[in-house]
Amino acid sequence: MIQTIDLRGSEPTPAALLASVPRALTSVAVAADIAAELIADVRERGGAALLDQAERLDRVRPGQVRVPASHIIDAVAGLDPAVRTAITETIRRVRLASAAQVPPHTTTTIEAGATVTQRWQPVNRVGLYVPGGKAVYPSSVVMNVVPAQVSGVRSIALASPPQSHFDGRVHPTILAVAGLLGVDEIYAMGGAGAIGALAYGVEDIGLEPVQIVTGPGNVYVAAAKRLIRGQAGIDSEAGPTDILVIADAAADPLLVAADLVSQAEHDELAAAVLVTDSPELAEAVAARLIALAESTTHSERVTAALRGRQSAIVLVDNLQVAAAFSNAFGPEHLEIQTSDPDAVLETIENAGAIFLGPYSPVSLGDYVAGSNHVLPTGGQARFSSGLGAYTFLRPQQVVSYSREALQGVADHIAALSNAEALPAHGDAVTARFTADR
């Protein structure tokens, strides 16, 4: 069902650990050419390209790309009460946690009359992508929209693929959640073409370019986000999901297996990895995976993910090596199910989000923990972070000097500008103190 990687009896170097990390063969780089073609098509033909791409890739041609307000109103009215209650609570929790990600403005007084203020300025307009291929993700609407609103973004455009089961409309649950959050600029478009449309704008459907594009998606969405970087900012290349569980003999094999399956059901390319120093736990988890994969709703998808080269049970000599392997993997989701999870946490450097103990499963973070589930995948947690209010904020330094304060450093500026052979820099300061100017 799932491969075993045995690292026992060795002391792998960081380079060796990186080489041993299991990854899917399908990469963002492989998808880049197709994504580039789709984006170029949208830039050339606008809304017609988006409609054609929907018909070809989503197997349905929407009546229009821009979602009418009436569709949103109908969706809100028809939302299941239990889902509405759950979404309302999720919004409350994510809003609370996101608010902690907005730093206060801070002014530093360098000396009398000389201050530098650090402020955090939100971008004005963002494009948020909510996938809709193998599943519907109303929770991703919350995870994208709430941090943007908390940061102070004023203009939000949301894109989600048209659904063949709903006559080419965006999934009504996604529309309903967007409506509850006050988002009314929604487009029935998906995949790489949608990412390009958000970044460059589409004049004939009234879509203005955005400054930042965020949200998860498949490998083509991730490739498109890489391609539009520079035209617009992105959060991360959030492609097929992954989970890594560090566990020892104290862990419950059923819970470990259940958590691996919970992420494997997202996509055949999803990565599910257990790293343990307990051969007995590894054997028990492997057996549980077979049973759970056979009985779960998306059995074929889960089985394909677990059998893929990106999934594995990794045997190590101790938890120190387990942590080193995890840091090399850079998991989107890291669970620590050990007798002392806090001690293991101290050795962790790279992870999108971390879940401690048996009662903090990734499923909690996917929905109502208050944390954000839009996280870097494919090892990008080694150098990037998940989506948050800070994603939409830019640190800006505001410099304010009085005449006296500037005069006090004028000689320093002249000396440095002359040393760099840029005397006009110094002259610009001296001009402010020239009597006959």
Side-chain angles (χ1 to χ4, degrees):
M1 170 65 71
I2 189 170
Q3 67 173 317
T4 298
I5 298 174
D6 194 342
L7 298 180
R8 292 173 297 177
S10 64
E11 296 183 6
T13 64
L17 286 172
L18 277 173
S20 65
V21 164
R23 297 285 187 211
L25 282 175
T26 302
S27 70
V28 171
V30 172
D33 288 345
I34 294 174
E37 291 176 5
L38 294 170
I39 292 171
D41 187 27
V42 172
R43 295 188 68 185
E44 181 179 346
R45 298 194 299 121
L50 291 168
L51 292 172
D52 289 347
Q53 288 179 19
E55 189 170 18
R56 178 161 57 94
L57 302 174
D58 300 309
R59 293 180 294 279
V60 65
R61 191 178 186 92
Q64 57 275 314
V65 180
R66 175 72 183 261
V67 175
S70 61
H71 290 189
I72 303 171
I73 293 170
D74 291 345
V76 172
L79 185 62
D80 180 280
V83 174
R84 182 169 186 152
T85 299
I87 284 293
T88 300
E89 178 62 14
T90 300
I91 291 170
R92 185 187 72 82
R93 290 172 178 244
V94 175
R95 201 175 293 280
L96 281 173
S98 297
Q101 298 170 338
V102 180
H105 293 190
T106 304
T107 298
T108 301
T109 300
I110 307 300
E111 60 184 12
T115 64
V116 177
T117 298
Q118 178 71 64
R119 73 173 190 172
W120 299 83
Q121 190 72 7
V123 296
N124 179 64
R125 180 166 167 77
V126 300
L128 312 179
Y129 186 78
V130 178
K134 295 183 174 68
V136 55
Y137 295 102
S139 57
S140 287
V141 180
V142 178
M143 301 297 174
N144 277 272
V145 172
V146 170
Q149 291 177 334
V150 168
S151 73
V153 171
R154 288 179 296 202
S155 177
I156 296 175
L158 189 147
S160 191
Q163 301 294 307
S164 58
H165 296 305
F166 295 97
D167 299 322
R169 295 187 178 192
V170 171
H171 196 287
T173 308
I174 288 175
L175 290 181
V177 175
L180 291 176
L181 286 163
V183 176
D184 58 9
E185 185 183 350
I186 305 174
Y187 298 90
M189 57 186 189
I195 300 302
L198 291 170
Y200 291 99
V202 181
E203 186 175 359
D204 64 314
I205 63 171
L207 173 56
E208 296 292 335
V210 303
Q211 293 165 270
I212 293 178
V213 178
T214 71
N218 61 21
V219 69
Y220 297 100
V221 169
K225 289 171 76 175
R226 178 180 293 183
L227 291 169
I228 59 96
R229 185 184 293 174
Q231 170 66 22
I234 67 169
D235 52 342
S236 63
E237 297 172 10
T241 191
D242 61 70
I243 177 175
L244 186 147
V245 181
I246 296 177
D248 61 13
D252 184 329
L254 174 60
L255 300 185
V256 173
D259 291 349
L260 294 174
V261 168
S262 75
Q263 297 306 298
E265 76 171 341
H266 276 288
D267 193 288
E268 291 84 353
L269 293 176
V273 178
L274 165 65
V275 186
T276 182
D277 61 352
S278 169
E280 294 77 18
L281 177 72
E283 184 177 350
V285 169
R288 291 285 192 175
L289 285 175
I290 294 173
L292 291 176
E294 290 177 350
S295 62
T296 192
T297 299
H298 301 293
S299 177
E300 290 186 8
R301 190 185 305 161
V302 168
T303 299
L306 294 177
R307 286 179 173 169
R309 58 179 287 133
Q310 73 275 9
S311 298
I313 293 176
V314 182
L315 291 169
V316 294
D317 286 323
N318 52 61
L319 293 180
Q320 288 74 31
V321 178
F325 182 91
S326 178
N327 286 329
F329 188 96
E332 176 189 14
H333 309 100
L334 170 62
E335 287 189 359
I336 303 176
Q337 296 193 37
T338 62
S339 57
D340 189 354
D342 289 308
V344 176
L345 177 63
E346 291 300 313
T347 64
I348 296 300
E349 299 172 357
N350 307 324
I354 303 170
F355 301 84
L356 294 183
Y359 299 104
S360 303
V362 169
S363 297
L364 174 66
D366 281 342
Y367 296 110
V368 298
S371 58
N372 202 295
H373 77 204
V374 182
L375 302 165
T377 63
Q380 290 192 82
R382 293 186 297 117
F383 50 80
S384 62
S385 62
L387 181 66
Y390 43 74
T391 303
F392 307 101
L393 296 170
R394 297 158 297 171
Q396 296 175 340
Q397 291 184 316
V398 181
V399 179
S400 179
Y401 268 54
S402 67
R403 187 181 194 279
E404 292 73 20
L406 177 60
Q407 192 168 30
V409 295
D411 289 344
H412 297 323
I413 295 171
L416 291 171
S417 67
N418 287 331
E420 294 186 351
L422 298 170
H425 284 63
D427 293 344
V429 172
T430 303
R432 285 162 168 77
F433 305 105
T434 302
D436 58 352
R437 65 185 176 89

